[in-house]
Amino acid sequence: MGWVLVPSIIILSLWFSAIVHGEVPTTLDGPFKPVTVPLDQSFRGNAVDLPDTDPLVQRTVKGFHPEQISVSLSASHDSVWISWITGEFQIGDNIEPLDPETVASIVQYGRFGRSLSHQATGYSLVYSQLYPFEGLQNYTSGIIHHVRLTGLKPNTLYQYQCGDPSLSAMSDVHYFRTMPVSGPKSYPSRIAVVGDLGLTYNTTSTVNHMISNHPDLILLVGDVSYANLYLTNGTGADCYSCSFPDTPIHETYQPRWDYWGRYMQPLIASVPIMVIEGNHEIEEQAENQTFVAYSSRFAFPSHESGSSSTLYYSFNAGGVHFIMLGSYAPYDKSGDQYKWLERDLASFDREVTPWLVATWHAPWYSTYKAHYREAECMRVAMEDLLYNYGVDVVFNGHVHAYERSNRVYNYTLDPCGPVYITVGDGGNREKMAIAHADEPGNCPKPSSTPDEFMGGFCAFNFTSGPAAGKFCWDRQPDYSAFRESSFGHGILEVKNETHALWTWHRNQDLYDSAGDEIYIVREPQKCPPIKPKVHIALFSPSFHSCSQIVLELKCFHDQNENFHLYSFFYFAGGN
């Protein structure tokens, strides 16, 4: 009898599937019949903001001592950013910005249990939110500091203080743990994913549940403070356009950002948080400036990941490569974001980071009436590129409810498509999404779908499939596996190269229970990435000319399901 050599990754995958099968479903068991959990009528679906008198949002430091301290990741495990604010914000008619040069940006740090023997210096800034209309109050922030620590060891606990030692204005000692080194057997233990968080009493429940799950990393997929639900005088509303239809510009109340930073500090001063913009971060002001608070208050690994914008970037966390895309930055194929995405996808290595996770704010595959097919132009522009590179999971927010898809591509069930998960249920002040577009009378008109900040009109009636000739399905679509209206958050636990456990936790449940859970299973042998043509420009000094050689990669499966890859060069000319 002969021996058959089987790759160890296949053996491990089969063993792991056998262990979990029968306890927690896996995507290998799908596609699943669509499930809608009935609305719990006893659950409070409308949240109330924490007032500025709440002790959790009050300023507790004096002078130039640091507050609103947070940690965020750089592009790889050996570097993190520490951010904080010193000095008080100002709001009113006559405001004088603080001088960032008056306070140093210094972090003293060292490995846990040792002295704070290392020191790093960063930069500082002050931003303003200004309105060109009489009667609107302007705002200027405290001094915002960002310091990058480098040369860190992987999966190591560090302690740090931040501030200005020359002013005797240093923070208490805080702690953070670096990410594991990038590799196929190295992953963060628990990644919390939350969207549309805000600062309400439901937010506090979400954050308390999240803390109880002990995350190593937090992904916030847009809509942070909801400062833009307020006028500059501090008057708030659940719906800005409904309550303030005649305002000359969409005002914001920037102190809500400071309240949010103070409330979140006990968590994000120790657990890294990675944020991508949502529509509530647009915050228009004088001279058509947008996203100023968002871009100023957080540190982003944009430069480290080759991006020229805070609105899109990437980073590694162990064996996971995260792509953070901007729903509200140009995404057409000739634009900077698309070209950056092409470069980023072409450069990441599946041998080092087997998992590819993408996030952006506005979902492509949501079946709720709210924001239904609003991001269709982004999907049309980018879906093929993400599919061809084999994105495993996509996280979105925007819709204030929970939904998990079957694997899907171009509205069709596809075993190689990503699993799309909407977690816009963090607990913000706006109402929970309840109505579904496939229910009688709920299908919106196509003309209502475009968003002024998301480009043109791309959402038309379906031309094929069960919904052919219609704008909405007349039942829960096949690509929608599970949906429920509730506040909560999710936890992603990547176990190995092929298996990741996803659990969604509802606020009304006990801390250790899950409203939805599934093992997301990668099948790299079945679904290899389809990389596009690689263009190589060759320069010939002797002829003082450029010639272009195109390396074209093609793949196919033969009748025995064996995978073949071949390539060839051809001359494409040039001058």
Side-chain angles (χ1 to χ4, degrees):
M1 187 173 103
W3 289 91
V4 177
L5 297 179
V6 180
S8 59
I9 187 174
I10 297 178
I11 295 175
L12 181 62
S13 297
L14 293 173
W15 170 82
F16 201 85
S17 294
I19 292 296
V20 302
H21 191 73
E23 298 178 8
V24 177
T26 81
T27 50
L28 299 178
D29 302 321
F32 300 95
K33 183 178 179 181
V35 172
T36 299
V37 176
L39 180 67
D40 182 354
Q41 298 292 340
S42 66
F43 183 64
R44 183 180 63 191
N46 194 19
V48 177
D49 274 339
L50 270 66
D52 56 12
T53 55
D54 193 294
L56 296 175
V57 304
Q58 291 287 301
R59 188 169 189 258
T60 58
V61 300
K62 297 186 181 298
F64 288 108
H65 276 78
E67 65 161 348
Q68 304 180 50
I69 301 168
S70 65
V71 182
S72 55
L73 300 181
S74 186
S76 58
H77 74 270
D78 59 353
S79 178
V80 304
W81 287 92
I82 308 294
S83 304
W84 69 94
I85 295 180
T86 56
E88 296 190 60
F89 67 79
Q90 301 170 63
I91 187 166
D93 297 324
N94 299 309
I95 55 175
E96 187 68 29
L98 298 173
D99 181 2
E101 299 298 322
T102 59
V103 185
S105 306
I106 293 176
V107 175
Q108 298 171 342
Y109 64 100
R111 294 174 66 178
F112 176 70
R114 302 183 184 183
S115 63
L116 303 178
S117 56
H118 299 279
Q119 181 168 296
T121 302
Y123 67 95
S124 59
L125 61 100
V126 169
Y127 82 89
S128 297
Q129 186 81 13
L130 305 176
Y131 299 99
F133 298 100
E134 187 175 350
L136 304 189
Q137 298 189 70
N138 294 322
Y139 170 95
T140 184
S141 69
I143 301 171
I144 302 172
H145 306 261
H146 299 299
V147 178
R148 186 182 176 203
L149 312 186
T150 58
L152 306 177
K153 295 184 178 297
N155 198 26
T156 300
L157 186 63
Y158 282 84
Q159 55 188 356
Y160 72 95
Q161 287 181 298
C162 58
D164 186 345
S166 69
L167 300 178
S168 298
M170 296 294 287
S171 72
D172 293 335
V173 175
H174 297 278
Y175 306 87
F176 67 86
R177 182 174 292 277
T178 52
M179 290 294 105
V181 66
S182 290
K185 300 185 183 302
S186 178
Y187 300 97
S189 295
R190 301 167 74 81
I191 301 167
V193 188
V194 66
D196 303 66
L197 196 55
L199 188 58
T200 70
Y201 290 106
N202 280 344
T203 305
T204 62
S205 177
T206 300
V207 171
N208 288 339
H209 276 73
M210 196 188 315
I211 291 172
S212 74
N213 277 321
H214 307 292
D216 303 289
L217 172 65
I218 300 169
L219 299 183
L220 177 47
V221 294
D223 285 359
V224 182
S225 72
Y226 286 80
N228 73 336
L229 288 185
Y230 286 78
L231 298 175
T232 62
N233 64 10
T235 302
D238 295 336
C239 170
Y240 187 103
S241 59
C242 306
S243 301
F244 313 122
D246 300 321
T247 56
I249 191 172
H250 193 131
E251 304 168 43
T252 78
Y253 187 61
Q254 289 296 297
R256 296 296 304 182
W257 277 103
D258 296 284
Y259 303 160
W260 190 90
R262 292 166 187 164
Y263 171 76
M264 292 294 291
Q265 176 179 306
L267 175 59
I268 62 178
S270 298
V271 180
I273 184 169
M274 305 303 287
V275 183
I276 198 65
E277 86 280 1
N279 56 299
H280 285 272
E281 279 72 71
I282 296 171
E283 296 188 314
E284 302 161 278
Q285 58 166 301
E287 300 181 353
N288 296 318
Q289 292 192 76
T290 53
F291 299 106
V292 177
Y294 160 85
S295 297
S296 301
R297 289 176 178 270
F298 297 103
F300 306 91
S302 300
H303 177 75
E304 301 100 281
S305 60
S307 169
S308 61
S309 172
T310 60
L311 304 182
Y312 49 88
Y313 60 91
S314 68
F315 66 95
N316 288 341
V320 186
H321 185 66
F322 287 95
I323 298 172
M324 314 289 279
L325 296 179
S327 292
Y328 305 95
Y331 39 72
D332 57 281
K333 294 183 179 181
S334 62
D336 290 342
Q337 180 175 201
Y338 191 93
K339 292 177 180 178
W340 167 83
L341 178 60
E342 284 185 308
R343 294 193 302 269
D344 190 87
L345 288 171
S347 64
F348 98 99
D349 186 352
R350 286 276 189 183
E351 297 297 320
V352 178
T353 51
W355 285 84
L356 180 57
V357 175
T359 76
W360 59 88
H361 185 59
W364 298 348
Y365 289 100
S366 169
T367 61
Y368 287 85
K369 180 180 180 181
H371 307 299
Y372 179 69
R373 299 182 70 185
E374 186 179 281
E376 190 73 355
C377 287
M378 185 182 183
R379 185 193 68 81
V380 170
M382 289 185 160
E383 186 175 24
D384 283 352
L385 184 59
L386 295 178
Y387 177 82
N388 288 340
Y389 274 93
V391 170
D392 300 300
V393 191
V394 173
F395 293 111
N396 304 119
H398 201 38
V399 176
H400 302 157
Y402 174 75
E403 186 165 17
R404 170 175 54 83
S405 79
N406 286 305
R407 292 194 177 277
V408 60
Y409 166 65
N410 194 25
Y411 290 105
T412 303
L413 295 176
D414 189 312
C416 297
V419 174
Y420 289 82
I421 299 175
T422 298
V423 284
D425 54 351
N428 65 80
R429 180 169 179 162
E430 293 181 312
K431 294 179 180 179
M432 184 184 297
I434 297 174
H436 304 111
D438 47 85
E439 294 168 338
N442 283 344
C443 184
K445 295 181 179 179
S447 59
S448 69
T449 58
D451 183 281
E452 60 178 309
F453 291 98
M454 292 193 66
F457 178 83
C458 301
F460 301 96
N461 287 348
F462 293 105
T463 57
S464 61
K470 303 175 183 177
F471 192 61
C472 305
W473 291 55
D474 57 8
R475 56 180 170 83
Q476 185 174 355
D478 292 342
Y479 57 79
S480 175
F482 182 95
R483 62 189 183 186
E484 181 177 359
S485 297
S486 182
F487 291 128
H489 76 285
I491 296 288
L492 181 69
E493 302 176 65
V494 182
K495 303 296 186 180
N496 56 39
E497 300 99 310
T498 59
H499 285 71
L501 175 63
W502 167 255
T503 54
W504 173 60
H505 300 266
R506 308 185 311 171
N507 286 1
Q508 66 266 40
D509 293 334
L510 297 175
Y511 289 105
D512 59 351
S513 62
D516 180 38
E517 57 183 342
I518 189 170
Y519 275 97
I520 299 171
V521 182
R522 297 182 59 245
E523 297 184 89
Q525 293 80 20
K526 181 178 180 180
C527 303
I530 307 170
K531 292 196 174 185
K533 297 176 183 179
V534 179
H535 292 264
I536 306 173
L538 301 179
F539 178 65
S540 173
S542 59
F543 292 97
H544 303 285
S545 65
C546 286
S547 295
Q548 190 176 63
I549 300 294
V550 176
L551 169 61
E552 185 164 343
L553 302 177
K554 292 195 174 183
C555 61
F556 66 92
H557 288 84
D558 62 22
Q559 60 183 358
N560 296 318
E561 290 302 311
N562 293 314
F563 173 70
H564 299 268
L565 176 70
Y566 68 91
S567 64
F568 62 89
F569 290 92
Y570 63 88
F571 176 65
N575 50 52

